[in-house]
Coordinates of all heavy atoms in Angstrom, one line a residue:
M1 N -8.2 13.0 0.0 CA -7.7 11.7 -0.5 C -6.9 11.9 -1.7 O -7.1 12.8 -2.5 CB -8.9 10.8 -0.9 CG -8.5 9.5 -1.5 SD -9.8 8.3 -1.4 CE -9.1 7.0 -2.4
T2 N -5.9 11.1 -1.9 CA -5.0 11.1 -3.0 C -5.8 10.7 -4.3 O -6.7 9.9 -4.2 CB -3.9 10.1 -2.8 OG1 -3.2 10.5 -1.6 CG2 -2.9 10.1 -4.0
S3 N -5.4 11.3 -5.4 CA -6.1 11.0 -6.6 C -5.7 9.6 -7.2 O -4.5 9.3 -7.3 CB -5.7 12.1 -7.6 OG -6.3 11.8 -8.9
L4 N -6.7 8.9 -7.6 CA -6.5 7.5 -8.2 C -6.9 7.6 -9.7 O -7.9 8.2 -10.0 CB -7.4 6.5 -7.5 CG -6.9 5.8 -6.3 CD1 -6.8 6.7 -5.1 CD2 -7.8 4.6 -6.0
T5 N -6.0 7.1 -10.5 CA -6.4 7.0 -11.9 C -7.6 6.1 -12.1 O -7.9 5.3 -11.2 CB -5.2 6.5 -12.7 OG1 -4.9 5.1 -12.3 CG2 -3.9 7.4 -12.6
H6 N -8.1 6.1 -13.3 CA -9.3 5.2 -13.6 C -8.8 3.7 -13.4 O -9.5 2.9 -12.9 CB -9.8 5.4 -15.0 CG -10.5 6.7 -15.1 ND1 -11.7 7.0 -14.4 CD2 -10.2 7.9 -15.7 CE1 -12.1 8.2 -14.7 NE2 -11.2 8.8 -15.5
H7 N -7.6 3.5 -13.9 CA -7.0 2.1 -13.8 C -6.9 1.7 -12.3 O -7.3 0.6 -12.0 CB -5.6 2.1 -14.4 CG -4.9 0.8 -14.3 ND1 -5.2 -0.3 -15.1 CD2 -4.0 0.3 -13.5 CE1 -4.5 -1.3 -14.8 NE2 -3.7 -1.0 -13.8
A8 N -6.4 2.6 -11.5 CA -6.3 2.3 -10.0 C -7.6 2.0 -9.4 O -7.8 1.1 -8.6 CB -5.5 3.4 -9.3
Q9 N -8.6 2.8 -9.8 CA -10.0 2.7 -9.2 C -10.5 1.3 -9.6 O -11.1 0.6 -8.8 CB -10.9 3.8 -9.7 CG -10.6 5.1 -9.1 CD -11.4 6.2 -9.8 OE1 -12.2 6.0 -10.7 NE2 -11.1 7.5 -9.4
A10 N -10.3 0.9 -10.9 CA -10.8 -0.4 -11.4 C -10.1 -1.5 -10.6 O -10.8 -2.5 -10.2 CB -10.6 -0.5 -12.9
R11 N -8.8 -1.4 -10.5 CA -8.1 -2.5 -9.8 C -8.4 -2.6 -8.4 O -8.5 -3.7 -7.8 CB -6.6 -2.3 -10.0 CG -6.0 -2.5 -11.4 CD -6.3 -3.9 -11.9 NE -5.8 -4.1 -13.2 CZ -6.6 -4.1 -14.3 NH1 -7.9 -4.0 -14.1 NH2 -6.1 -4.3 -15.5
S12 N -8.6 -1.5 -7.7 CA -9.0 -1.4 -6.3 C -10.3 -2.2 -6.2 O -10.5 -3.0 -5.2 CB -9.1 0.0 -5.8 OG -9.7 0.0 -4.6
Q13 N -11.3 -1.9 -7.0 CA -12.6 -2.6 -6.9 C -12.5 -4.1 -7.3 O -13.0 -4.9 -6.6 CB -13.6 -1.9 -7.9 CG -15.0 -2.5 -7.8 CD -15.9 -1.7 -8.7 OE1 -15.6 -0.9 -9.5 NE2 -17.2 -2.0 -8.5
Q14 N -11.8 -4.4 -8.3 CA -11.6 -5.8 -8.7 C -10.9 -6.6 -7.7 O -11.2 -7.8 -7.5 CB -10.8 -5.9 -10.0 CG -11.5 -5.4 -11.2 CD -10.6 -5.2 -12.4 OE1 -9.4 -5.2 -12.3 NE2 -11.2 -5.0 -13.6
R15 N -9.9 -6.0 -7.0 CA -9.1 -6.7 -6.0 C -9.6 -6.6 -4.6 O -9.0 -7.1 -3.7 CB -7.7 -6.3 -6.2 CG -7.1 -6.6 -7.5 CD -5.8 -6.0 -7.8 NE -5.3 -6.5 -9.1 CZ -4.3 -5.9 -9.8 NH1 -3.7 -4.9 -9.3 NH2 -4.0 -6.4 -11.0
G16 N -10.7 -5.9 -4.4 CA -11.3 -5.8 -3.1 C -10.5 -5.0 -2.1 O -10.4 -5.3 -0.9
I17 N -9.8 -3.9 -2.6 CA -9.0 -3.1 -1.7 C -9.8 -1.8 -1.5 O -9.9 -1.0 -2.4 CB -7.6 -2.8 -2.3 CG1 -6.9 -4.2 -2.6 CG2 -6.8 -1.9 -1.5 CD1 -5.7 -4.0 -3.5
P18 N -10.3 -1.6 -0.2 CA -11.1 -0.4 0.0 C -10.2 0.9 0.1 O -9.0 0.8 0.4 CB -11.7 -0.7 1.4 CG -11.1 -1.9 1.9 CD -10.2 -2.5 0.9
A19 N -10.8 2.0 -0.2 CA -10.1 3.3 -0.2 C -9.5 3.6 1.1 O -8.3 4.1 1.1 CB -11.1 4.4 -0.6
P20 N -10.1 3.3 2.3 CA -9.4 3.6 3.6 C -8.1 2.8 3.7 O -7.1 3.3 4.3 CB -10.4 3.2 4.6 CG -11.7 3.3 4.0 CD -11.5 2.9 2.5
V21 N -8.0 1.6 3.1 CA -6.7 0.9 3.2 C -5.7 1.6 2.3 O -4.5 1.7 2.7 CB -6.9 -0.6 2.7 CG1 -5.6 -1.3 2.5 CG2 -7.8 -1.3 3.7
I22 N -6.1 2.1 1.2 CA -5.1 2.8 0.3 C -4.6 4.1 1.0 O -3.4 4.4 1.0 CB -5.8 3.2 -1.0 CG1 -6.1 1.9 -1.8 CG2 -4.9 4.1 -1.8 CD1 -7.0 2.1 -3.0
E23 N -5.5 4.8 1.7 CA -5.1 6.0 2.4 C -4.1 5.6 3.6 O -3.1 6.3 3.8 CB -6.3 6.7 3.0 CG -7.0 7.5 1.9 CD -6.1 8.6 1.3 OE1 -5.4 9.3 2.0 OE2 -6.1 8.7 0.0
T24 N -4.5 4.6 4.3 CA -3.6 4.1 5.4 C -2.3 3.7 4.9 O -1.2 4.0 5.5 CB -4.3 2.9 6.1 OG1 -5.6 3.4 6.6 CG2 -3.4 2.5 7.3
L25 N -2.2 3.0 3.8 CA -1.0 2.6 3.1 C -0.2 3.9 2.7 O 1.0 3.9 3.0 CB -1.3 1.8 1.9 CG -0.1 1.2 1.1 CD1 0.7 0.3 2.0 CD2 -0.6 0.4 0.0
L26 N -0.8 4.9 2.2 CA -0.1 6.1 1.8 C 0.4 6.8 3.0 O 1.5 7.5 3.0 CB -1.0 7.0 1.0 CG -1.3 6.4 -0.4 CD1 -2.4 7.3 -1.1 CD2 -0.1 6.4 -1.3
D27 N -0.3 6.8 4.1 CA 0.1 7.4 5.4 C 1.2 6.7 6.1 O 2.1 7.3 6.7 CB -1.1 7.6 6.3 CG -2.1 8.6 5.8 OD1 -1.7 9.4 4.9 OD2 -3.2 8.6 6.3
Y28 N 1.2 5.4 6.1 CA 2.1 4.6 7.0 C 3.0 3.7 6.2 O 4.0 3.1 6.8 CB 1.3 3.8 8.0 CG 0.6 4.6 9.0 CD1 -0.8 4.9 8.8 CD2 1.2 5.0 10.2 CE1 -1.4 5.7 9.8 CE2 0.6 5.7 11.1 CZ -0.8 6.1 10.9 OH -1.4 6.8 11.9
G29 N 2.8 3.5 5.0 CA 3.6 2.5 4.2 C 5.0 2.9 4.0 O 5.4 4.1 4.0
H30 N 5.8 1.9 3.7 CA 7.3 2.1 3.4 C 7.4 2.3 1.9 O 6.7 1.7 1.1 CB 8.1 0.8 3.7 CG 9.5 0.9 3.4 ND1 10.4 1.6 4.0 CD2 10.1 0.3 2.3 CE1 11.6 1.5 3.5 NE2 11.4 0.7 2.4
E31 N 8.2 3.2 1.5 CA 8.3 3.6 0.1 C 9.7 3.2 -0.5 O 10.7 3.4 0.1 CB 8.2 5.2 0.0 CG 8.3 5.8 -1.3 CD 8.1 7.3 -1.2 OE1 7.1 7.7 -0.7 OE2 9.0 8.0 -1.7
E32 N 9.6 2.6 -1.7 CA 10.8 2.3 -2.5 C 10.6 2.9 -3.9 O 9.4 2.9 -4.4 CB 10.9 0.7 -2.6 CG 11.3 0.0 -1.3 CD 12.7 0.2 -0.9 OE1 13.6 0.4 -1.8 OE2 13.0 0.1 0.3
H33 N 11.7 3.3 -4.5 CA 11.6 3.7 -5.9 C 11.7 2.6 -6.8 O 12.4 1.6 -6.6 CB 12.7 4.8 -6.2 CG 12.5 6.0 -5.4 ND1 11.7 7.0 -5.8 CD2 13.0 6.4 -4.2 CE1 11.7 8.0 -4.8 NE2 12.5 7.6 -3.9
D34 N 11.0 2.6 -7.9 CA 11.0 1.5 -8.9 C 12.1 1.7 -10.0 O 12.2 0.9 -10.9 CB 9.6 1.3 -9.5 CG 9.2 2.3 -10.5 OD1 9.9 3.4 -10.6 OD2 8.2 2.1 -11.2
H35 N 12.8 2.8 -9.9 CA 13.9 3.1 -10.9 C 13.3 3.5 -12.3 O 14.0 3.4 -13.3 CB 14.9 2.0 -11.0 CG 15.5 1.7 -9.6 ND1 16.3 2.6 -8.9 CD2 15.4 0.6 -8.8 CE1 16.7 2.1 -7.8 NE2 16.1 0.9 -7.7
H36 N 12.0 3.8 -12.3 CA 11.4 4.2 -13.6 C 10.6 5.5 -13.3 O 9.8 5.9 -14.2 CB 10.4 3.1 -14.1 CG 11.1 1.8 -14.5 ND1 11.9 1.7 -15.6 CD2 11.2 0.7 -13.8 CE1 12.4 0.5 -15.6 NE2 12.0 -0.2 -14.6
G37 N 10.8 6.1 -12.2 CA 10.1 7.4 -11.9 C 8.9 7.2 -11.0 O 8.4 8.2 -10.5
S38 N 8.5 6.0 -10.7 CA 7.4 5.9 -9.8 C 7.9 5.3 -8.4 O 9.0 5.0 -8.2 CB 6.4 4.8 -10.4 OG 5.9 5.3 -11.6
R39 N 6.9 5.3 -7.5 CA 7.2 4.8 -6.1 C 6.3 3.6 -5.8 O 5.1 3.7 -6.2 CB 7.0 5.9 -5.1 CG 7.9 7.1 -5.3 CD 7.6 8.2 -4.3 NE 6.3 8.8 -4.7 CZ 5.4 9.3 -3.9 NH1 5.5 9.2 -2.6 NH2 4.3 9.8 -4.3
I40 N 6.9 2.6 -5.2 CA 6.1 1.5 -4.7 C 5.9 1.7 -3.2 O 6.9 1.9 -2.5 CB 6.8 0.2 -5.0 CG1 7.1 0.0 -6.4 CG2 6.0 -1.0 -4.4 CD1 8.1 -1.1 -6.7
I41 N 4.7 1.6 -2.7 CA 4.5 1.8 -1.3 C 3.8 0.6 -0.7 O 2.8 0.1 -1.3 CB 3.6 3.1 -1.0 CG1 4.3 4.3 -1.6 CG2 3.4 3.3 0.5 CD1 3.6 5.6 -1.5
F42 N 4.3 0.0 0.3 CA 3.8 -1.2 0.9 C 4.1 -1.2 2.4 O 4.8 -0.4 2.9 CB 4.5 -2.4 0.2 CG 6.0 -2.4 0.4 CD1 6.6 -3.2 1.4 CD2 6.8 -1.7 -0.5 CE1 8.0 -3.2 1.5 CE2 8.2 -1.7 -0.4 CZ 8.8 -2.5 0.6
F43 N 3.5 -2.2 3.1 CA 3.7 -2.3 4.5 C 4.9 -3.3 4.8 O 4.8 -4.4 4.4 CB 2.4 -2.9 5.2 CG 1.3 -1.9 5.2 CD1 0.1 -2.2 4.5 CD2 1.3 -0.7 6.0 CE1 -0.9 -1.4 4.5 CE2 0.2 0.1 6.0 CZ -0.9 -0.2 5.2
D44 N 5.9 -2.7 5.3 CA 7.0 -3.6 5.8 C 6.9 -3.8 7.3 O 5.9 -3.3 7.9 CB 8.4 -3.0 5.4 CG 8.7 -1.7 6.1 OD1 7.9 -1.2 6.8 OD2 9.8 -1.2 5.9
H45 N 7.8 -4.5 7.9 CA 7.7 -4.8 9.3 C 7.7 -3.5 10.2 O 6.8 -3.4 11.1 CB 8.9 -5.6 9.8 CG 8.8 -7.0 9.3 ND1 7.9 -8.0 9.7 CD2 9.6 -7.7 8.3 CE1 8.1 -9.1 9.0 NE2 9.1 -8.9 8.2
R46 N 8.5 -2.5 9.9 CA 8.5 -1.3 10.6 C 7.2 -0.5 10.5 O 6.7 0.0 11.4 CB 9.7 -0.4 10.2 CG 9.8 0.9 11.0 CD 11.0 1.6 10.6 NE 12.2 0.9 11.2 CZ 13.4 1.0 10.8 NH1 13.7 1.8 9.8 NH2 14.4 0.4 11.4
S47 N 6.7 -0.4 9.2 CA 5.5 0.4 9.0 C 4.3 -0.3 9.7 O 3.4 0.3 10.2 CB 5.2 0.7 7.6 OG 5.1 -0.5 6.8
R48 N 4.3 -1.7 9.7 CA 3.2 -2.4 10.4 C 3.2 -2.1 11.9 O 2.2 -1.9 12.5 CB 3.4 -3.9 10.1 CG 3.0 -4.3 8.7 CD 3.3 -5.8 8.5 NE 3.1 -6.1 7.1 CZ 2.5 -7.2 6.7 NH1 2.0 -8.1 7.5 NH2 2.4 -7.4 5.4
A49 N 4.4 -2.1 12.5 CA 4.5 -1.8 13.9 C 4.0 -0.4 14.2 O 3.3 -0.1 15.2 CB 6.0 -2.0 14.3
Q50 N 4.4 0.6 13.3 CA 3.9 2.0 13.5 C 2.4 2.1 13.4 O 1.8 2.8 14.1 CB 4.6 2.9 12.5 CG 6.1 3.1 12.7 CD 6.7 3.9 11.6 OE1 6.2 4.0 10.5 NE2 7.9 4.5 11.9
L51 N 1.9 1.3 12.4 CA 0.5 1.3 12.2 C -0.3 0.7 13.4 O -1.3 1.3 13.8 CB 0.2 0.6 10.9 CG -1.3 0.5 10.5 CD1 -1.9 1.8 10.2 CD2 -1.4 -0.4 9.3
R52 N 0.2 -0.4 13.9 CA -0.4 -1.0 15.0 C -0.4 -0.1 16.3 O -1.4 0.0 17.0 CB 0.3 -2.3 15.4 CG -0.4 -3.0 16.5 CD 0.3 -4.4 16.8 NE -0.8 -5.3 16.9 CZ -0.8 -6.5 16.4 NH1 0.2 -7.0 15.8 NH2 -1.9 -7.3 16.6
K53 N 0.7 0.6 16.5 CA 0.8 1.6 17.6 C -0.2 2.7 17.4 O -0.9 3.1 18.4 CB 2.2 2.1 17.7 CG 2.4 3.0 18.9 CD 3.9 3.3 19.0 CE 4.1 4.2 20.2 NZ 5.5 4.6 20.3
A54 N -0.3 3.2 16.2 CA -1.2 4.4 15.9 C -2.7 4.0 16.0 O -3.5 4.8 16.5 CB -0.9 5.0 14.5
L55 N -3.0 2.8 15.5 CA -4.4 2.4 15.4 C -5.0 1.7 16.6 O -6.1 1.7 16.9 CB -4.7 1.5 14.2 CG -4.4 2.1 12.8 CD1 -4.7 1.1 11.7 CD2 -5.2 3.4 12.6
G56 N -4.1 1.0 17.3 CA -4.5 0.1 18.4 C -4.8 -1.2 17.8 O -5.1 -1.4 16.7
D57 N -4.8 -2.2 18.7 CA -4.9 -3.6 18.3 C -6.2 -4.0 17.6 O -6.2 -4.7 16.7 CB -4.7 -4.5 19.5 CG -3.2 -4.6 20.0 OD1 -2.3 -4.3 19.2 OD2 -3.0 -4.9 21.2
E58 N -7.3 -3.4 18.1 CA -8.6 -3.8 17.6 C -8.7 -3.3 16.1 O -9.1 -4.1 15.3 CB -9.7 -3.2 18.4 CG -11.1 -3.6 18.0 CD -12.2 -3.0 18.9 OE1 -12.0 -2.8 20.0 OE2 -13.3 -2.9 18.3
H59 N -8.5 -2.1 15.9 CA -8.6 -1.5 14.5 C -7.5 -2.2 13.6 O -7.8 -2.5 12.4 CB -8.4 0.0 14.5 CG -8.7 0.6 13.2 ND1 -9.9 0.6 12.6 CD2 -7.9 1.2 12.3 CE1 -9.9 1.2 11.4 NE2 -8.6 1.5 11.2
Y60 N -6.4 -2.4 14.1 CA -5.3 -3.1 13.3 C -5.8 -4.5 12.9 O -5.6 -4.8 11.7 CB -4.0 -3.2 14.2 CG -2.9 -3.8 13.4 CD1 -2.0 -3.1 12.6 CD2 -2.6 -5.2 13.6 CE1 -1.0 -3.6 12.0 CE2 -1.5 -5.8 12.9 CZ -0.7 -5.0 12.1 OH 0.3 -5.6 11.5
R61 N -6.4 -5.2 13.8 CA -6.9 -6.6 13.4 C -7.9 -6.5 12.3 O -8.0 -7.4 11.4 CB -7.4 -7.3 14.6 CG -6.4 -8.0 15.4 CD -7.0 -8.9 16.5 NE -7.8 -8.3 17.5 CZ -7.4 -7.7 18.6 NH1 -6.1 -7.7 18.8 NH2 -8.2 -7.1 19.4
R62 N -8.7 -5.4 12.2 CA -9.7 -5.3 11.2 C -9.1 -5.1 9.8 O -9.7 -5.5 8.8 CB -10.7 -4.1 11.5 CG -11.7 -4.5 12.5 CD -12.8 -3.5 12.7 NE -12.5 -2.8 13.9 CZ -12.7 -1.5 14.2 NH1 -13.1 -0.7 13.3 NH2 -12.4 -1.0 15.4
I63 N -8.0 -4.5 9.7 CA -7.4 -4.2 8.4 C -6.2 -5.2 8.1 O -5.6 -5.1 7.1 CB -6.9 -2.8 8.2 CG1 -5.8 -2.4 9.2 CG2 -8.1 -1.8 8.4 CD1 -5.0 -1.2 8.8
E64 N -5.9 -6.1 9.1 CA -4.7 -6.9 8.9 C -4.7 -7.7 7.6 O -3.7 -8.0 7.1 CB -4.7 -7.9 10.2 CG -3.3 -8.5 10.3 CD -3.2 -9.2 11.7 OE1 -4.2 -9.4 12.4 OE2 -2.0 -9.4 12.1
R65 N -5.9 -8.1 7.2 CA -5.9 -9.0 5.9 C -5.5 -8.2 4.7 O -5.2 -8.7 3.7 CB -7.3 -9.6 5.7 CG -8.3 -8.6 5.4 CD -9.7 -9.3 5.4 NE -10.7 -8.3 5.2 CZ -11.6 -8.3 4.2 NH1 -11.4 -9.2 3.3 NH2 -12.5 -7.4 4.1
H66 N -5.4 -6.8 4.8 CA -5.1 -6.0 3.7 C -3.6 -5.5 3.8 O -3.2 -4.7 3.0 CB -6.0 -4.7 3.7 CG -7.4 -5.0 3.3 ND1 -7.8 -5.5 2.1 CD2 -8.5 -5.0 4.1 CE1 -9.1 -5.7 2.1 NE2 -9.5 -5.4 3.3
L67 N -2.8 -6.0 4.7 CA -1.5 -5.5 4.9 C -0.5 -6.0 3.8 O 0.6 -5.6 3.8 CB -1.0 -5.9 6.3 CG -1.7 -5.2 7.4 CD1 -1.1 -5.6 8.8 CD2 -1.7 -3.7 7.3
G68 N -0.9 -6.9 3.0 CA -0.1 -7.3 1.8 C -0.4 -6.5 0.6 O 0.0 -6.9 -0.5
T69 N -1.0 -5.4 0.8 CA -1.4 -4.5 -0.3 C -0.2 -3.6 -0.7 O 0.6 -3.2 0.2 CB -2.6 -3.7 0.1 OG1 -3.7 -4.5 0.4 CG2 -3.1 -2.8 -1.0
Y70 N -0.2 -3.2 -2.0 CA 0.8 -2.2 -2.4 C 0.1 -1.2 -3.3 O -0.9 -1.5 -3.9 CB 2.0 -2.8 -3.1 CG 1.7 -3.4 -4.4 CD1 1.8 -2.6 -5.6 CD2 1.2 -4.7 -4.6 CE1 1.4 -3.1 -6.8 CE2 0.9 -5.2 -5.8 CZ 1.0 -4.4 -6.9 OH 0.7 -4.9 -8.2
V71 N 0.7 0.0 -3.5 CA 0.3 0.9 -4.4 C 1.5 1.4 -5.2 O 2.6 1.4 -4.7 CB -0.4 2.2 -3.8 CG1 -1.7 1.8 -3.1 CG2 0.5 3.0 -2.9
I72 N 1.2 1.8 -6.5 CA 2.3 2.4 -7.3 C 1.8 3.9 -7.5 O 0.7 4.1 -7.9 CB 2.4 1.7 -8.7 CG1 2.6 0.2 -8.5 CG2 3.5 2.4 -9.5 CD1 4.0 -0.1 -8.0
V73 N 2.7 4.8 -7.1 CA 2.4 6.2 -7.2 C 3.3 6.8 -8.3 O 4.6 6.7 -8.3 CB 2.7 6.9 -5.9 CG1 2.3 8.4 -6.0 CG2 1.8 6.3 -4.8
A74 N 2.7 7.5 -9.3 CA 3.5 8.1 -10.4 C 4.2 9.4 -9.9 O 3.9 9.9 -8.8 CB 2.5 8.5 -11.5
R75 N 5.0 10.0 -10.7 CA 5.7 11.2 -10.4 C 4.8 12.3 -10.0 O 5.1 13.1 -9.2 CB 6.6 11.6 -11.6 CG 7.7 10.7 -11.9 CD 8.5 11.2 -13.1 NE 9.4 10.2 -13.5 CZ 10.4 10.3 -14.3 NH1 10.5 11.5 -14.9 NH2 11.1 9.3 -14.7
D76 N 3.6 12.4 -10.7 CA 2.7 13.5 -10.4 C 1.9 13.3 -9.1 O 1.1 14.1 -8.7 CB 1.8 13.7 -11.6 CG 0.9 12.5 -11.9 OD1 0.9 11.5 -11.1 OD2 0.1 12.6 -12.9
G77 N 2.1 12.1 -8.4 CA 1.4 11.9 -7.1 C 0.2 11.1 -7.2 O -0.4 10.7 -6.2
D78 N -0.3 10.8 -8.5 CA -1.5 10.0 -8.6 C -1.1 8.5 -8.4 O -0.1 8.0 -8.8 CB -2.0 10.1 -10.1 CG -2.7 11.4 -10.3 OD1 -2.9 12.2 -9.3 OD2 -3.0 11.7 -11.5
V79 N -2.1 7.8 -7.8 CA -2.0 6.4 -7.6 C -2.3 5.7 -8.9 O -3.4 5.9 -9.4 CB -2.9 5.8 -6.5 CG1 -2.9 4.3 -6.4 CG2 -2.5 6.4 -5.1
V80 N -1.4 5.0 -9.5 CA -1.7 4.4 -10.9 C -2.2 3.0 -10.8 O -3.0 2.6 -11.7 CB -0.4 4.3 -11.7 CG1 -0.5 5.1 -13.0 CG2 0.9 4.6 -11.0
T81 N -1.9 2.2 -9.8 CA -2.5 0.9 -9.6 C -2.3 0.4 -8.1 O -1.5 1.0 -7.4 CB -1.8 -0.1 -10.6 OG1 -2.7 -1.3 -10.6 CG2 -0.4 -0.5 -10.2
V82 N -3.1 -0.5 -7.8 CA -3.0 -1.1 -6.5 C -3.1 -2.7 -6.6 O -3.6 -3.1 -7.6 CB -4.2 -0.7 -5.5 CG1 -4.1 0.8 -5.4 CG2 -5.5 -1.1 -6.1
G83 N -2.5 -3.4 -5.7 CA -2.6 -4.8 -5.8 C -2.2 -5.5 -4.5 O -1.9 -4.8 -3.5
H84 N -2.1 -6.8 -4.6 CA -1.7 -7.6 -3.4 C -0.3 -8.1 -3.7 O -0.1 -8.7 -4.8 CB -2.7 -8.8 -3.2 CG -4.1 -8.4 -3.0 ND1 -4.5 -7.8 -1.7 CD2 -5.1 -8.4 -3.8 CE1 -5.8 -7.5 -1.8 NE2 -6.2 -7.8 -3.1
R85 N 0.6 -8.0 -2.8 CA 2.0 -8.5 -2.9 C 2.0 -10.0 -2.9 O 1.4 -10.6 -2.1 CB 2.9 -8.0 -1.8 CG 3.2 -6.5 -1.9 CD 4.0 -6.1 -0.7 NE 5.2 -6.9 -0.5 CZ 5.9 -6.9 0.6 NH1 5.5 -6.2 1.6 NH2 7.0 -7.7 0.7
R86 N 2.6 -10.5 -4.0 CA 2.7 -12.0 -4.1 C 4.2 -12.4 -4.1 O 4.5 -13.5 -3.9 CB 2.0 -12.5 -5.3 CG 0.6 -12.1 -5.4 CD -0.3 -13.2 -5.9 NE -1.6 -12.9 -6.2 CZ -2.6 -12.6 -5.3 NH1 -2.3 -12.7 -4.0 NH2 -3.8 -12.3 -5.7
H87 N 5.0 -11.4 -4.3 CA 6.5 -11.6 -4.4 C 7.2 -10.5 -3.6 O 6.7 -9.5 -3.3 CB 7.0 -11.5 -5.8 CG 6.3 -12.5 -6.7 ND1 6.6 -13.8 -6.7 CD2 5.3 -12.3 -7.7 CE1 5.8 -14.4 -7.6 NE2 5.0 -13.5 -8.2
H88 N 8.4 -10.8 -3.3 CA 9.3 -9.9 -2.6 C 9.5 -8.7 -3.5 O 9.7 -8.8 -4.7 CB 10.6 -10.6 -2.2 CG 11.6 -9.7 -1.5 ND1 11.5 -9.4 -0.2 CD2 12.7 -9.1 -2.0 CE1 12.5 -8.6 0.1 NE2 13.2 -8.4 -0.9
I89 N 9.5 -7.5 -2.9 CA 9.8 -6.3 -3.7 C 11.3 -6.1 -3.8 O 12.0 -6.0 -2.8 CB 9.1 -5.0 -3.0 CG1 7.6 -5.2 -3.1 CG2 9.6 -3.8 -3.7 CD1 6.8 -4.1 -2.6
N90 N 11.8 -6.0 -5.1 CA 13.2 -5.9 -5.4 C 13.7 -4.5 -5.0 O 13.1 -3.5 -5.4 CB 13.4 -6.2 -6.8 CG 14.9 -6.3 -7.2 OD1 15.7 -6.2 -6.3 ND2 15.2 -6.5 -8.4
R91 N 14.7 -4.4 -4.2 CA 15.2 -3.1 -3.7 C 16.5 -2.7 -4.4 O 17.3 -2.0 -3.8 CB 15.3 -3.2 -2.2 CG 14.0 -3.4 -1.5 CD 14.1 -3.3 -0.1 NE 12.8 -3.4 0.5 CZ 12.5 -3.6 1.7 NH1 13.5 -3.8 2.6 NH2 11.3 -3.7 2.1
H92 N 16.7 -3.1 -5.6 CA 18.0 -2.8 -6.3 C 17.7 -1.7 -7.3 O 16.8 -1.7 -8.0 CB 18.6 -4.0 -6.9 CG 18.9 -5.1 -5.9 ND1 19.4 -4.9 -4.7 CD2 18.9 -6.4 -6.1 CE1 19.6 -6.0 -4.0 NE2 19.3 -7.0 -4.9

């Protein structure tokens, strides 16, 4: 499993985002750079389709409520925070 900072562990627990969802996000999520040295990883339409194909419909439905989740990964590869997307991710 990828290393989570203490902050990311706390946010994951507070926001009800289980570790398997974070791992799935890291494996299948779409990555954008935040222009500050970190990466934002989230499920876009393409990554959701790949995930559904890889997991199958039944397992996909079980994690579907977590597909609005994102993670921020620092330069060193540690997950710094996790959360639920409430806004469009700016790609500029």
Side-chain angles (χ1 to χ4, degrees):
M1 177 164 173
T2 301
S3 178
L4 272 68
T5 63
H6 292 292
H7 177 81
Q9 291 172 0
R11 292 297 179 257
S12 173
Q13 184 177 9
Q14 290 168 346
R15 295 172 177 162
I17 302 169
V21 170
I22 295 171
E23 283 300 314
T24 303
L25 184 57
L26 293 170
D27 290 341
Y28 291 96
H30 176 76
E31 181 178 304
E32 291 284 335
H33 294 278
D34 72 350
H35 305 291
H36 298 285
S38 297
R39 298 173 290 141
I40 304 167
I41 303 174
F42 59 96
F43 292 113
D44 64 356
H45 291 290
R46 181 175 287 160
S47 61
R48 288 176 188 221
Q50 290 173 341
L51 181 61
R52 181 175 231 142
K53 185 176 181 180
L55 297 180
D57 287 338
E58 184 179 332
H59 186 67
Y60 181 86
R61 276 193 297 276
R62 279 189 255 145
I63 68 162
E64 195 167 21
R65 68 187 175 118
H66 294 290
L67 295 182
T69 302
Y70 70 89
V71 297
I72 306 290
V73 180
R75 290 180 194 191
D76 63 4
D78 287 349
V79 174
V80 243
T81 195
V82 301
H84 301 284
R85 287 178 52 200
R86 304 222 190 285
H87 303 285
H88 179 74
I89 293 182
N90 190 1
R91 295 184 176 170
H92 302 324

